[in-house]
Amino acid sequence: MSAFRLLARPLQSSCRHLSISAPSRLAAITQKTTPEALSAAALHACGPMRNDWTREEIQSIYDSPLMELLYHGAKVHRENFNAREVQQCTLLSIKTGGCTEDCKYCPQSSRYNTSVKAQKMLDSDAILFAAQKAKDAGSTRFCMGAAWRDLKGRKTYFNKVLDHVKIIRSMGMEVCCTLGMLDEEQAKALKNAGLTAYNHNLDTSREHYPKIITTRTYDDRLKTIENAQKAGISVCSGGIIGLGERVEDRVGLLHTLSTLKQHPESVPVNALLAVEGTPLEKQKPVSVFEMIRMIATARIIMPKSMVRLSAGRVKFTVPEQALCFMAGANSIFTGDKLLTTPNNEFTDDKKMFELLGLVPKPPNFAQGADRKNGPVYQMPKCFKPKVEEKTEEHA
């Protein structure tokens, strides 16, 4: 009997341990999370498509705990895209240097003493060869960039660009241009030539913008975006972090983009590559965690836009880039140069895709601001839409 009690005691002790811990675990599993305990990223990750975001809402998402923000950016990404697909784009400078603008980050400005010198526009053969080479390397979008303020007095060059757009589009690639400011007629001409998208970055917030550029207003940029969208062209517009801006300026940039009548088709998130000779040559590089916050926030508030891990990617390791893809980035520039700054080697990107299990995203020709089945923006259910008061004129 004594031996039996000795054998039973460990068993009884074990049973008591189990009987105490099991309900505790069960309580942890069944305990409900109150709305107050959720992060802003969690609260806004499951809402409708919106273009009425407030700065306060975006700030709260941006300020969410990093792992929460990363998780919910990834969640929204997977709800709207194949998370393994990453768009590969190639950007070619068809007219380099000699720009009259004073963008403080840009080595192409004629106002700064940099290693970039003014060059003539590339001939057609060089441009089309580069496009075919990009396609052979796996790119599905080819973007032509020219260091111009606008297209005034450049009719001959513009007509050449229109011809290039037609030919590259016939190669089975999406075609993008960034040529400076556009008026309505120029936008229509590009649309008729088959242009897929027009890139025109806002760069930073309206408040910080005058500290970076004085030769073109913020409203000039917004007008070009409006002209492109009115013509039925998809808009590619984002910005640069690391310009000496505050966090509030990053939020301001995202607020402007996310409250456009139509969200940009793609949102490039650039990390400044400080170039010797420019006024921002001594700016410290941004961290990957700052990029993750921008990417994940952009993904949550503009869920159906492509988010491009753009300039500055060359400074990030493969694990750091993987975090950016996890946060919601699904587009990159390939090729060893972005206009005039260095970029990742194609062979390195190919290895990264294989390592991470990423696959190239096919081209999307069913896009454009004039497409029939465009996105529908809604107010969140907890908000009541503002109703305009009828005036005698409307009565």
Side-chain angles (χ1 to χ4, degrees):
M1 194 71 175
S2 176
F4 175 77
R5 279 197 295 268
L6 285 172
L7 288 170
R9 278 173 192 158
L11 181 61
Q12 288 170 350
S13 175
S14 176
C15 288
R16 283 198 299 270
H17 175 73
L18 289 170
S19 64
I20 292 169
S21 61
S24 175
R25 287 200 301 271
L26 184 60
I29 293 168
T30 58
Q31 185 179 2
K32 292 183 179 180
T33 304
T34 62
E36 293 79 7
L38 292 173
S39 67
L43 287 170
H44 292 292
C46 55
M49 280 276 287
R50 295 175 54 188
N51 59 355
D52 65 333
W53 293 97
T54 67
R55 279 202 181 206
E56 292 74 20
E57 287 173 322
I58 298 172
Q59 183 77 61
S60 65
I61 295 169
Y62 184 96
D63 289 338
S64 294
L66 186 64
M67 296 305 290
E68 275 279 294
L69 183 57
L70 178 61
Y71 169 77
H72 289 287
K75 183 173 178 287
V76 173
H77 185 193
R78 280 151 179 74
E79 289 170 354
N80 292 279
F81 293 94
N82 178 339
R84 290 186 61 206
E85 289 184 348
V86 174
Q87 180 191 49
Q88 294 174 293
C89 313
T90 296
L91 174 59
L92 176 70
S93 178
I94 63 172
K95 165 61 182 78
T96 302
C99 183
T100 58
E101 302 265 50
D102 67 351
C103 309
K104 291 184 178 179
Y105 54 81
C106 186
Q108 299 201 68
S109 172
S110 60
R111 299 163 186 253
Y112 312 133
N113 184 23
T114 70
S115 61
V116 178
K117 305 304 176 186
Q119 300 173 21
K120 294 181 179 180
M121 182 174 171
L122 295 177
D123 62 41
S124 298
D125 287 344
I127 294 170
L128 299 177
F129 176 78
Q132 185 61 55
K133 183 180 177 183
K135 184 185 180 183
D136 293 343
S139 286
T140 56
R141 174 177 286 192
F142 188 77
C143 186
M144 293 176 280
W148 294 328
R149 169 182 163 77
D150 52 40
L151 291 163
K152 291 178 182 177
R154 297 187 171 93
K155 189 174 181 179
T156 301
Y157 290 131
F158 184 53
N159 287 334
K160 286 184 178 180
V161 170
L162 295 176
D163 289 338
H164 298 150
V165 169
K166 294 173 185 176
I167 295 171
I168 297 169
R169 181 66 181 77
S170 71
M171 293 179 183
M173 299 181 78
E174 297 176 20
V175 192
C176 176
C177 284
T178 177
L179 312 169
M181 291 184 285
L182 286 183
D183 62 30
E184 289 188 33
E185 292 305 312
Q186 292 159 349
K188 288 177 183 176
L190 285 165
K191 171 66 177 178
N192 292 335
L195 190 73
T196 309
Y198 195 80
N199 169 258
H200 205 65
N201 288 335
L202 293 178
D203 288 344
T204 187
S205 70
R206 182 182 285 274
E207 293 79 10
H208 190 64
Y209 184 86
K211 298 177 183 178
I212 304 301
I213 304 154
T214 65
T215 51
R216 187 191 317 187
T217 69
Y218 209 69
D219 287 322
D220 286 337
R221 291 180 181 264
L222 289 170
K223 186 62 179 176
T224 291
I225 289 172
E226 180 186 341
N227 290 338
Q229 289 187 329
K230 282 173 75 173
I233 300 170
S234 287
V235 163
C236 167
S237 186
I240 308 168
I241 63 173
L243 301 175
E245 76 282 354
R246 303 168 302 154
V247 167
E248 290 80 3
D249 293 308
R250 297 174 185 180
V251 169
L253 167 66
L254 293 173
H255 177 256
T256 301
L257 293 170
S258 64
T259 54
L260 292 172
K261 289 182 180 179
Q262 297 181 57
H263 291 168
E265 174 269 335
S266 53
V267 179
V269 180
N270 299 275
L272 176 70
L273 280 173
V275 178
E276 187 178 355
T278 64
L280 298 180
E281 64 180 354
K282 294 184 179 179
Q283 281 294 119
K284 293 181 179 179
V286 300
S287 73
V288 71
F289 300 113
E290 293 171 277
M291 290 292 282
I292 289 168
R293 285 197 179 276
M294 283 294 289
I295 289 168
T297 305
R299 172 53 66 217
I300 290 170
I301 64 177
M302 293 176 280
K304 294 189 181 296
S305 298
M306 303 292 293
V307 178
R308 185 166 299 119
L309 177 56
S310 199
R313 183 169 68 90
V314 69
K315 296 291 186 180
F316 299 129
T317 65
V318 170
E320 288 173 334
Q321 291 179 68
L323 287 172
C324 292
F325 295 131
M326 180 65 73
N330 60 346
S331 179
I332 59 171
F333 278 118
T334 61
D336 60 359
K337 187 176 286 188
L338 285 182
L339 295 178
T340 60
T341 55
N343 191 43
N344 306 62
E345 294 283 348
F346 171 73
T347 51
D348 292 337
D349 283 338
K350 188 176 180 181
K351 291 176 183 176
M352 179 178 70
F353 270 50
E354 291 174 354
L355 177 65
L356 301 180
L358 302 175
V359 295
K361 189 179 187 300
N364 174 21
F365 300 120
Q367 64 175 285
D370 63 346
R371 64 194 187 279
K372 292 181 180 179
N373 299 317
V376 177
Y377 300 97
Q378 302 176 36
M379 295 282 286
K381 291 182 180 179
C382 56
F383 286 76
K384 290 184 179 180
K386 183 179 179 182
V387 179
E388 289 186 4
E389 295 182 4
K390 289 185 178 181
T391 62
E392 292 182 4
E393 186 176 340
H394 292 126

